[in-house]
Each structure stands twice: as structure tokens, then as C-alpha cells.
Amino acid sequence: MANNSDKMENDTVDTEKDVVEMNDEGLAEQAESDELANDSMNQEMSKEPSEETDPKDQKIAELESALEEEENKMLRILADFENSKRRATLDKEAMNKYKAQSILTGLLPVLDNFERALAVEAKADEAKSLMTGMDMIYRNLLESLKAEGLVEIDCVDKEFDPNFHQAVMTEKDPDKESNIVLQELQKGYMLKDRVLRPSMVKVNE
């Protein structure tokens, strides 16, 4: 009987130990779970301020963006204005430089007629006198036109250049190189650096 009583007491003690150990384990697990939950909550709370935007900061960002856009518009307007002013200046310079172009172009046939008339040989004294007067008028007219920028194109014995010469005939001259201008059939003229009329020429084959 005594042995049975001791055994029962020992069993009771072991059972109480097991219950205590189970409780301790449960409390430890609960504490660990609570700690994880607290960490998760703290992380969420720490995220919330970064996800939310301060209305003042948002307004400042919008104003800065609008200001930058307006500055870009202003810069584009200024660039367009400068380009327009530059083009206007270039157009004005070109107009002043070539202002006599229409007048000179209209007078080129007059020069041609003077040259044809002066190429005729005069035999009578009266005709010679008339030719002398015509020559003086022609030279005065030519000098006045040159003062406005008229330039005769030099072409004979020069290499043919389609920018200044118009080939209307070809001929074979063994004493000269190929593509050399042999004869000027009609004078060409320039206004400063602009071609008014190319020279009509005969070119060596």
C-alpha cells in the first residue's frame, strides 16, 4: 500500500511537471507570436508616413513643375524670336546687297545691243563720229553699272564651269586642252557674287 501511494505521488508530481512544461512552452510560443505580431505592426506603422504625401510637399512639387514648364515655354519663345530677328537681318542684308539686281538684269540687253552696234566697222567720217559717241555712252553706262556691283564673267581660255558658263557649241582644237572655253558668244554678268546671266560659250571637246 505504501509503495502504491508513493508511486501515485510520483506520478502526480511528473504530471504536474509535464503540465508546467507544457504551459511554459505554450507561453513561450505565445510570447514569440505576440512579438512577431508587434514587429509586423511596427513595420506597417513605419511604412505609413512614407506612403502618405504631405499636401504641402505635393503642392510645392506641382508649382515647381508648372514653373519649369513656363520657363521652357519662355526659352522656346525667346529662341524663336532670335531666329526670326536673325532671318530678318539676313534678308535685309541680302536686299541691300542685291537691290540693283532687277535694274541690272533689265539693262543687260541694252549692253548687248551697244556691243553689236560697236562691232560694225564704220567707214564714213560721219559714221565714225557716231560710233565714237556711242562708244562713250556705252563706256559710261558700263562704268555706272559696275559701280552698282556688275561684274563681267571672264571665260575665254578658262576651264568650263557650268555655274558660270553655258555651252552652246563644241569644237576640236588640238592645241588646247579638253573642256577649255574657246570663244565667248555672249557675255555673262554677275552682281557681286551672284550670277545674273551665264556666259554663252564654245567649248573644246
Side-chain angles (χ1 to χ4, degrees):
M1 293 289 294
N3 290 335
N4 290 337
S5 177
D6 292 338
K7 183 177 181 182
M8 290 178 64
E9 287 179 0
N10 291 332
D11 292 341
T12 303
V13 170
D14 292 338
T15 302
E16 289 177 354
K17 287 181 181 180
D18 292 338
V19 170
V20 170
E21 289 178 357
M22 290 176 64
N23 289 337
D24 290 341
E25 290 179 359
L27 290 173
E29 291 179 357
Q30 182 65 35
E32 184 178 356
S33 176
D34 292 342
E35 185 177 355
L36 292 173
N38 289 333
D39 291 342
S40 177
M41 184 179 297
N42 290 334
Q43 290 178 2
E44 292 296 328
M45 291 177 66
S46 64
K47 290 181 180 178
E48 287 178 359
S50 61
E51 291 177 354
E52 293 181 357
T53 304
D54 192 334
K56 292 182 180 179
D57 293 339
Q58 185 176 0
K59 188 63 176 179
I60 291 173
E62 291 175 357
L63 292 174
E64 289 177 346
S65 178
L67 179 60
E68 183 178 359
E69 185 176 353
E70 291 300 322
E71 287 178 348
N72 290 334
K73 287 181 181 179
M74 183 62 67
L75 290 175
R76 287 194 294 269
I77 292 172
L78 288 175
D80 290 340
F81 175 74
E82 289 297 326
N83 290 335
S84 298
K85 187 167 68 172
R86 192 180 301 110
R87 283 194 298 268
T89 301
L90 293 175
D91 291 342
K92 185 177 181 180
E93 291 176 355
M95 186 180 297
N96 291 331
K97 185 176 182 179
Y98 304 112
K99 62 183 178 180
Q101 178 172 346
S102 59
I103 296 175
L104 294 180
T105 302
L107 289 174
L108 294 184
V110 177
L111 294 178
D112 294 338
N113 290 331
F114 265 110
E115 290 172 0
R116 292 190 190 99
L118 293 172
V120 177
E121 184 179 357
K123 296 181 179 180
D125 292 339
E126 186 177 348
K128 288 181 181 179
S129 250
L130 181 61
M131 295 293 286
T132 301
M134 288 180 59
D135 184 63
M136 290 178 59
I137 296 171
Y138 167 72
R139 291 181 183 278
N140 288 336
L141 176 61
L142 188 59
E143 289 302 318
S144 297
L145 297 180
K146 285 182 177 180
E148 292 297 325
L150 186 70
V151 180
E152 295 181 8
I153 296 176
D154 188 16
C155 60
V156 178
D157 292 332
K158 303 291 183 181
E159 185 175 2
F160 175 76
D161 187 341
N163 295 311
F164 302 99
H165 310 141
Q166 180 182 355
V168 294
M169 294 179 64
T170 59
E171 188 176 291
K172 183 63 177 178
D173 186 344
D175 296 332
K176 294 185 178 181
E177 295 181 2
S178 176
N179 210 39
I180 294 296
V181 175
L182 300 175
Q183 183 182 354
E184 180 184 63
L185 304 176
Q186 185 184 59
K187 278 188 178 180
Y189 295 94
M190 298 178 61
L191 172 56
K192 298 178 181 179
D193 56 355
R194 177 181 291 181
V195 175
L196 293 179
R197 186 180 73 185
S199 301
M200 295 177 62
V201 297
K202 180 193 294 184
V203 183
N204 195 29
E205 293 181 355

